[in-house]
Amino acid sequence: MSLKNRLAVFSRPLSMIWFSFWLHWEALREAVRRDGLAALVRPQQIRDAGSAKLLSVTSAGFIAFEDTTIVPSLVKAASGVVLDLGPGPGNQVHRFDTAVVDYIYGLEPNSHFKDALNGKLEKHGLHYMYKLIEAGIEDSDILREEGITEGSLDTVLSIQVLCAVKDPKNVMKEIWKLLKPGGKFIFWEHGCSRDRLTNVAQAFMNPAWSTFIGCHLTRNVLADILNSGEWENPDAIEEPEDPLSFLPRTQGVLVKKA
C-alpha cells in the first residue's frame, strides 16, 4: 500500500474538517448577531447549530453514498414500534418499509435538525407514523411520557450515531433495556481502524474531527455493542475491512436474547 495512496485518502477528512470549521464560524456569527456576546457563553448551542448545518448541507451526498451500501437493506429490516436513534436531518426516513412498521419515534437532542427532518417527513408522507422527540436516550422521564419503557420497542435503528453520543457504553445499555426480548438492534457504525497506520492517523485527527464534525474516530464500537447485554446472534455482526478507511464500518441486525 503506497504512501501516495494513504496521503490521498487522509486528505479527505482534512477537507471535511475545514468545510465544517467555516460552517461553525458562520453559526457563531449568526448567534452573536442574534444574542450579542451572550452567545459566547453557550458554546454547545453553537456546536449544535454548526453540526446541523454540516449534516443538512451534506445530506443528499450521504444518502447517495449510503445507497451504494447495505444501509437501505438494514433500514428496511426495521419493523413494529421503531426507535430511530439520532435521525439528524432524516436521511433514513424514506427507507422504512411502512408495510411492516407500526410507528417510529425519532430521538434527536439537537433541535436544529427539526426543520430538515420535518421536511423529509412531509415529502415522503410519514408524518402520521413518525414522532420527533427532542431528547437523548438517557432522558428516561421524557421517553416514559411517550410510552417508551423497558421492553417496549421492537426495533432500535442506529445509523452512524454511536460515534457521536457522549457515552456509547451507557447508550447501548439503554438500547438493550428498551428492546423487547426478541427485539432487533439494527446498526451501521464506524470506529477505530485495525490498520496500525490508519489508527495512528485517526488518533492524530480525532481532536479536530470530534470538535467540528461532531463524532469520534477512535471508538471501539463493536465492544460497546456486544457488552451491552445478551444477544442471540452476536456472530451476525459484519466488519468489512478497508485498511485505508478513516471510517471503517461495523454492521448487523442483533436480536435481544429472550
Side-chain angles (χ1 to χ4, degrees), residues 168-182:
K169 293 180 176 63
N170 182 59
V171 167
M172 278 307 310
K173 289 182 184 300
E174 290 301 315
I175 287 171
W176 194 88
K177 289 178 185 177
L178 294 175
L179 282 170
K180 296 177 180 178

PDB file of all heavy atoms in Angstrom, residues 168-182:
ATOM      1  N   PRO A 168     -21.188   6.097  24.707  1.00  0.00           N
ATOM      2  CA  PRO A 168     -21.746   4.998  23.915  1.00  0.00           C
ATOM      3  C   PRO A 168     -22.034   3.747  24.734  1.00  0.00           C
ATOM      4  O   PRO A 168     -22.993   3.017  24.429  1.00  0.00           O
ATOM      5  CB  PRO A 168     -20.676   4.745  22.852  1.00  0.00           C
ATOM      6  CG  PRO A 168     -19.425   5.330  23.407  1.00  0.00           C
ATOM      7  CD  PRO A 168     -19.847   6.489  24.238  1.00  0.00           C
ATOM      8  N   LYS A 169     -21.246   3.487  25.760  1.00  0.00           N
ATOM      9  CA  LYS A 169     -21.497   2.308  26.602  1.00  0.00           C
ATOM     10  C   LYS A 169     -22.857   2.415  27.278  1.00  0.00           C
ATOM     11  O   LYS A 169     -23.647   1.460  27.287  1.00  0.00           O
ATOM     12  CB  LYS A 169     -20.393   2.156  27.645  1.00  0.00           C
ATOM     13  CG  LYS A 169     -19.030   1.805  27.083  1.00  0.00           C
ATOM     14  CD  LYS A 169     -18.011   1.669  28.193  1.00  0.00           C
ATOM     15  CE  LYS A 169     -16.650   1.225  27.646  1.00  0.00           C
ATOM     16  NZ  LYS A 169     -16.076   2.237  26.717  1.00  0.00           N
ATOM     17  N   ASN A 170     -23.139   3.578  27.857  1.00  0.00           N
ATOM     18  CA  ASN A 170     -24.421   3.783  28.532  1.00  0.00           C
ATOM     19  C   ASN A 170     -25.568   3.778  27.533  1.00  0.00           C
ATOM     20  O   ASN A 170     -26.643   3.219  27.807  1.00  0.00           O
ATOM     21  CB  ASN A 170     -24.398   5.104  29.302  1.00  0.00           C
ATOM     22  CG  ASN A 170     -25.690   5.340  30.072  1.00  0.00           C
ATOM     23  OD1 ASN A 170     -26.075   4.552  30.922  1.00  0.00           O
ATOM     24  ND2 ASN A 170     -26.385   6.422  29.742  1.00  0.00           N
ATOM     25  N   VAL A 171     -25.379   4.391  26.371  1.00  0.00           N
ATOM     26  CA  VAL A 171     -26.416   4.411  25.340  1.00  0.00           C
ATOM     27  C   VAL A 171     -26.779   2.991  24.920  1.00  0.00           C
ATOM     28  O   VAL A 171     -27.953   2.638  24.788  1.00  0.00           O
ATOM     29  CB  VAL A 171     -25.959   5.240  24.122  1.00  0.00           C
ATOM     30  CG1 VAL A 171     -26.877   5.005  22.919  1.00  0.00           C
ATOM     31  CG2 VAL A 171     -25.931   6.718  24.469  1.00  0.00           C
ATOM     32  N   MET A 172     -25.779   2.147  24.723  1.00  0.00           N
ATOM     33  CA  MET A 172     -26.051   0.769  24.319  1.00  0.00           C
ATOM     34  C   MET A 172     -26.780  -0.006  25.413  1.00  0.00           C
ATOM     35  O   MET A 172     -27.668  -0.815  25.116  1.00  0.00           O
ATOM     36  CB  MET A 172     -24.745   0.056  23.951  1.00  0.00           C
ATOM     37  CG  MET A 172     -24.258   0.329  22.549  1.00  0.00           C
ATOM     38  SD  MET A 172     -25.509   0.014  21.249  1.00  0.00           S
ATOM     39  CE  MET A 172     -26.088  -1.631  21.658  1.00  0.00           C
ATOM     40  N   LYS A 173     -26.427   0.226  26.661  1.00  0.00           N
ATOM     41  CA  LYS A 173     -27.132  -0.451  27.749  1.00  0.00           C
ATOM     42  C   LYS A 173     -28.599  -0.032  27.790  1.00  0.00           C
ATOM     43  O   LYS A 173     -29.497  -0.852  28.054  1.00  0.00           O
ATOM     44  CB  LYS A 173     -26.444  -0.155  29.092  1.00  0.00           C
ATOM     45  CG  LYS A 173     -25.091  -0.829  29.246  1.00  0.00           C
ATOM     46  CD  LYS A 173     -24.475  -0.548  30.595  1.00  0.00           C
ATOM     47  CE  LYS A 173     -23.072  -1.152  30.709  1.00  0.00           C
ATOM     48  NZ  LYS A 173     -23.051  -2.607  30.535  1.00  0.00           N
ATOM     49  N   GLU A 174     -28.870   1.257  27.521  1.00  0.00           N
ATOM     50  CA  GLU A 174     -30.245   1.736  27.486  1.00  0.00           C
ATOM     51  C   GLU A 174     -31.003   1.126  26.301  1.00  0.00           C
ATOM     52  O   GLU A 174     -32.175   0.763  26.413  1.00  0.00           O
ATOM     53  CB  GLU A 174     -30.279   3.260  27.408  1.00  0.00           C
ATOM     54  CG  GLU A 174     -29.821   3.962  28.677  1.00  0.00           C
ATOM     55  CD  GLU A 174     -30.670   3.588  29.883  1.00  0.00           C
ATOM     56  OE1 GLU A 174     -31.919   3.562  29.752  1.00  0.00           O
ATOM     57  OE2 GLU A 174     -30.092   3.294  30.943  1.00  0.00           O
ATOM     58  N   ILE A 175     -30.336   1.027  25.156  1.00  0.00           N
ATOM     59  CA  ILE A 175     -30.958   0.410  23.983  1.00  0.00           C
ATOM     60  C   ILE A 175     -31.375  -1.018  24.300  1.00  0.00           C
ATOM     61  O   ILE A 175     -32.499  -1.445  23.996  1.00  0.00           O
ATOM     62  CB  ILE A 175     -29.983   0.436  22.781  1.00  0.00           C
ATOM     63  CG1 ILE A 175     -29.871   1.857  22.224  1.00  0.00           C
ATOM     64  CG2 ILE A 175     -30.439  -0.531  21.680  1.00  0.00           C
ATOM     65  CD1 ILE A 175     -28.786   2.019  21.179  1.00  0.00           C
ATOM     66  N   TRP A 176     -30.477  -1.769  24.916  1.00  0.00           N
ATOM     67  CA  TRP A 176     -30.770  -3.167  25.241  1.00  0.00           C
ATOM     68  C   TRP A 176     -31.967  -3.264  26.186  1.00  0.00           C
ATOM     69  O   TRP A 176     -32.833  -4.133  26.022  1.00  0.00           O
ATOM     70  CB  TRP A 176     -29.537  -3.819  25.866  1.00  0.00           C
ATOM     71  CG  TRP A 176     -29.638  -5.326  25.929  1.00  0.00           C
ATOM     72  CD1 TRP A 176     -29.278  -6.214  24.973  1.00  0.00           C
ATOM     73  CD2 TRP A 176     -30.149  -6.088  27.025  1.00  0.00           C
ATOM     74  NE1 TRP A 176     -29.531  -7.502  25.391  1.00  0.00           N
ATOM     75  CE2 TRP A 176     -30.069  -7.449  26.651  1.00  0.00           C
ATOM     76  CE3 TRP A 176     -30.668  -5.773  28.281  1.00  0.00           C
ATOM     77  CZ2 TRP A 176     -30.479  -8.492  27.478  1.00  0.00           C
ATOM     78  CZ3 TRP A 176     -31.086  -6.791  29.113  1.00  0.00           C
ATOM     79  CH2 TRP A 176     -30.993  -8.132  28.723  1.00  0.00           C
ATOM     80  N   LYS A 177     -32.042  -2.371  27.173  1.00  0.00           N
ATOM     81  CA  LYS A 177     -33.160  -2.381  28.116  1.00  0.00           C
ATOM     82  C   LYS A 177     -34.489  -2.079  27.426  1.00  0.00           C
ATOM     83  O   LYS A 177     -35.519  -2.688  27.730  1.00  0.00           O
ATOM     84  CB  LYS A 177     -32.932  -1.350  29.227  1.00  0.00           C
ATOM     85  CG  LYS A 177     -31.837  -1.701  30.209  1.00  0.00           C
ATOM     86  CD  LYS A 177     -31.672  -0.572  31.219  1.00  0.00           C
ATOM     87  CE  LYS A 177     -30.513  -0.822  32.158  1.00  0.00           C
ATOM     88  NZ  LYS A 177     -30.318   0.322  33.105  1.00  0.00           N
ATOM     89  N   LEU A 178     -34.487  -1.125  26.505  1.00  0.00           N
ATOM     90  CA  LEU A 178     -35.727  -0.688  25.866  1.00  0.00           C
ATOM     91  C   LEU A 178     -36.280  -1.715  24.875  1.00  0.00           C
ATOM     92  O   LEU A 178     -37.482  -1.728  24.595  1.00  0.00           O
ATOM     93  CB  LEU A 178     -35.520   0.645  25.150  1.00  0.00           C
ATOM     94  CG  LEU A 178     -35.219   1.854  26.050  1.00  0.00           C
ATOM     95  CD1 LEU A 178     -34.916   3.082  25.192  1.00  0.00           C
ATOM     96  CD2 LEU A 178     -36.376   2.146  26.988  1.00  0.00           C
ATOM     97  N   LEU A 179     -35.423  -2.563  24.339  1.00  0.00           N
ATOM     98  CA  LEU A 179     -35.876  -3.570  23.382  1.00  0.00           C
ATOM     99  C   LEU A 179     -36.670  -4.677  24.068  1.00  0.00           C
ATOM    100  O   LEU A 179     -36.347  -5.106  25.180  1.00  0.00           O
ATOM    101  CB  LEU A 179     -34.678  -4.193  22.662  1.00  0.00           C
ATOM    102  CG  LEU A 179     -34.039  -3.386  21.538  1.00  0.00           C
ATOM    103  CD1 LEU A 179     -32.724  -4.037  21.120  1.00  0.00           C
ATOM    104  CD2 LEU A 179     -34.985  -3.274  20.336  1.00  0.00           C
ATOM    105  N   LYS A 180     -37.681  -5.175  23.376  1.00  0.00           N
ATOM    106  CA  LYS A 180     -38.386  -6.370  23.829  1.00  0.00           C
ATOM    107  C   LYS A 180     -37.456  -7.575  23.696  1.00  0.00           C
ATOM    108  O   LYS A 180     -36.556  -7.565  22.851  1.00  0.00           O
ATOM    109  CB  LYS A 180     -39.624  -6.624  22.965  1.00  0.00           C
ATOM    110  CG  LYS A 180     -40.699  -5.572  23.029  1.00  0.00           C
ATOM    111  CD  LYS A 180     -41.823  -5.934  22.057  1.00  0.00           C
ATOM    112  CE  LYS A 180     -42.932  -4.887  22.090  1.00  0.00           C
ATOM    113  NZ  LYS A 180     -44.008  -5.203  21.107  1.00  0.00           N
ATOM    114  N   PRO A 181     -37.680  -8.625  24.469  1.00  0.00           N
ATOM    115  CA  PRO A 181     -36.982  -9.878  24.175  1.00  0.00           C
ATOM    116  C   PRO A 181     -37.322 -10.300  22.740  1.00  0.00           C
ATOM    117  O   PRO A 181     -38.493 -10.315  22.352  1.00  0.00           O
ATOM    118  CB  PRO A 181     -37.566 -10.861  25.202  1.00  0.00           C
ATOM    119  CG  PRO A 181     -38.005  -9.985  26.334  1.00  0.00           C
ATOM    120  CD  PRO A 181     -38.504  -8.716  25.690  1.00  0.00           C
ATOM    121  N   GLY A 182     -36.325 -10.575  21.945  1.00  0.00           N
ATOM    122  CA  GLY A 182     -36.539 -10.865  20.532  1.00  0.00           C
ATOM    123  C   GLY A 182     -36.537  -9.623  19.661  1.00  0.00           C
ATOM    124  O   GLY A 182     -36.643  -9.729  18.432  1.00  0.00           O
TER     125      GLY A 182
END
